[in-house]
Amino acid sequence: MNAWPVKWTISDLEPMSNKLLIENLEWAYNYFQ
């Protein structure tokens, strides 16, 4: 309940490589059921 994003990061994008782009989203919250 009452969750909000506190941090968003994206991995480096290299156009000539076959690596995946990874996003990380960190949340803060009051409580979890």
Side-chain angles (χ1 to χ4, degrees), residues 11-13 17-22:
S11 64
D12 292 336
L13 180 61
S17 73
N18 290 332
K19 292 170 42 175
L20 294 173
L21 179 68
I22 298 175

